[in-house]
């Protein structure tokens, strides 16, 4: 069953249940890799939201699906999220860094990480069971069948919790962030599964921070600023890179070159000083060099979460802050969620 995932549209707040015909059902928003899993006999595939299948990267999940669902005469198809958790019992949380490292070309590393940082799968929809296509049925009906199937599932396979209580959903939005979750999803109770359509509603955490511009990368076109590198001062007074700002228009990229020119660090010959940026598994040989900037400009950015001491995703430019002293841009300004045990969300 080759099905594109149903998507979600961002909304600013957790919506009221009667804001859509038929009402809404609420779920925690998991922060992992979206995956549609098909179990057909002993064949298991984990399809991704993009073009690259995830099957080979998570052999431990393949074995779990085969053990718990294999041998059926007709396929089972689940929609959910691949996640990795870390931390001691009682203080577990989602670990995006560990999850992202699982996408690696080397079979030996895949095998090692499947043991060192095993993944879990959190199911939140059931698209087919015993060969019956459920995508045309209402979500409430699919959810009932998923819960029934979930009684046969065990770690590392889970079924997400759900509620019809909007007040509880708003409580989840606050408390579950401490376990690394991303927000809340609201799903129309009477709608069918609609592949590729933004039929669901999602509410994510968004915050602002004042950061220091420390460099920029030239856009891949060769013209203008592609991304700004930003930093924060730690308790020892060191300025540390915490992420990047991108998604500028063509016109804005050119304007930024002019705006940033007065603070470009230059050598004795007047040439811009460059540095080599941090590399990741996604760099793939890509040029990560950047033009250094004197740490004098402060900008306000919008972000959702932190992952360790870095922004979890690329952040969004909000405005320049000429009123701020760069050295006042420190880690202690960041809003840190209260810790919440991931096991309490899964169970």
């Amino acid at each position: 069953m080759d099905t594109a995932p149903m998507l979600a549209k961002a909304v600013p707040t957790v919506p009221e249940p009667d804001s859509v015909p038929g009402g809404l059902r609420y779920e925690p928003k998991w922060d992992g890799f979206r995956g549609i899993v098909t179990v057909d006999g002993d064949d298991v595939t984990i399809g991704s939201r993009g073009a690259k299948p995830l099957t080979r990267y998570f052999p431990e999940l393949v074995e779990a699906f085969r053990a718990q669902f294999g041998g059926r005469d007709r396929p089972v198809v689940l929609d959910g999220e691949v996640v990795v958790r870390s931390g001691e019992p009682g203080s577990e949380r989602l670990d995006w860094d560990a999850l992202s490292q699982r996408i690696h070309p080397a079979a030996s590393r895949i095998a090692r990480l499947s043991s060192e940082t095993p993944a879990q799968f959190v199911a939140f929809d059931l698209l087919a069971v015993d060969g019956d296509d459920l995508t045309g049925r209402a979500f409430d009906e699919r959810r009932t069948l998923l819960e029934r199937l979930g009684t046969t599932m065990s770690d590392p396979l889970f079924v997400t919790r759900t509620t019809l209580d909007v007040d509880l959903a708003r409580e989840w939005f606050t408390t579950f962030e401490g376990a690394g979750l991303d927000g809340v999803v609201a799903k129309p109770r009477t709608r069918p599964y609609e592949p590729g359509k933004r039929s669901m509603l999602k509410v994510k955490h968004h915050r602002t921070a004042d950061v220091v511009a420390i460099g920029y990368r030239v856009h891949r076109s060769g013209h203008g600023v592609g991304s700004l590198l930003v930093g924060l001062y730690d308790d020892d007074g060191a300025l540390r890179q915490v992420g990047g700002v991108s998604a500028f228009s063509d016109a804005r990229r050119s304007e930024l070159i002019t705006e940033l020119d007065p603070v470009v660090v230059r050598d004795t010959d007047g040439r811009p000083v460059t540095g080599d940026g941090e590399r990741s598994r996604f760099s793939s040989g890509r040029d990560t060099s950047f033009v250094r900037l004197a740490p004098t400009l402060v900008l306000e950015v919008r972000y959702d979460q932190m992952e360790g001491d870095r922004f979890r995703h690329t952040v969004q430019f909000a405005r320049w802050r000429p009123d701020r002293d760069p050295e006042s841009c420190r880690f202690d300004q960041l809003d840190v969620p209260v810790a919440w045990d991931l096991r309490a969300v899964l169970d």
Side-chain angles (χ1 to χ4, degrees), residues 293-310:
L293 300 176
T296 58
L297 297 179
V298 174
L299 58 150
E300 181 181 335
V301 297
R302 292 185 292 270
Y303 72 100
D304 49 13
Q305 293 188 30
M306 299 294 292
E307 182 73 24
D309 58 1
R310 296 180 59 86

Side-chain angles (χ1 to χ4, degrees), residues 8 15 22 54 60 62 65 70 83 92 117 123 222 261 275 278 289 311 335:
L54 298 174
E60 74 279 26
V62 171
F65 278 109
V83 299
E92 288 184 323
T117 55
D261 185 69
E278 299 175 346
S289 62
F311 293 121
D335 184 10

Side-chain angles (χ1 to χ4, degrees), residues 163-240:
T163 185
L164 301 177
D165 184 344
V166 66
D167 291 329
L168 179 58
R170 288 169 178 152
E171 181 182 327
W172 287 354
F173 182 78
T174 301
T175 57
F176 287 175
E177 188 189 7
L181 277 78
D182 207 17
V184 167
V185 175
K187 298 182 176 181
R189 298 175 60 186
T190 60
R191 295 280 288 274
Y193 193 89
E194 299 175 293
K197 293 186 178 181
R198 296 191 179 277
S199 303
M200 305 181 293
L201 304 174
K202 63 181 179 182
V203 189
K204 297 181 64 175
H205 299 280
H206 292 285
R207 301 174 171 84
T208 62
D210 292 329
V211 295
V212 183
I214 60 176
Y216 71 81
R217 294 193 177 104
V218 176
H219 189 259
R220 60 178 178 273
S221 67
H223 303 285
V225 171
S227 60
L228 274 173
L229 305 185
V230 297
L232 290 170
Y233 284 93
D234 63 19
D235 291 339
D236 296 325
L239 182 58
R240 297 165 57 186

Side-chain angles (χ1 to χ4, degrees), residues 80-153:
E81 203 94 354
V82 178
V83 299
V84 168
R85 65 189 187 221
S86 65
E88 298 299 321
S91 59
E92 288 184 323
R93 60 177 287 117
L94 297 181
D95 191 333
W96 173 262
D97 272 352
L99 174 64
S100 58
Q101 290 169 17
R102 295 295 307 273
I103 307 301
H104 197 279
S108 59
R109 182 174 173 83
I110 289 172
R112 178 169 62 82
L113 291 178
S114 70
S115 176
E116 293 179 355
T117 55
Q120 295 77 44
F121 182 81
V122 183
F124 44 65
D125 212 331
L126 182 62
L127 309 190
V129 62
D130 293 332
D132 292 334
D133 184 349
L134 306 179
T135 56
R137 303 193 194 184
F139 175 56
D140 269 2
E141 185 176 354
R142 302 197 309 272
R143 174 69 197 190
T144 297
L145 293 171
L146 175 60
E147 291 174 356
R148 187 179 303 164
L149 188 69
T151 60
T152 68
M153 295 166 60

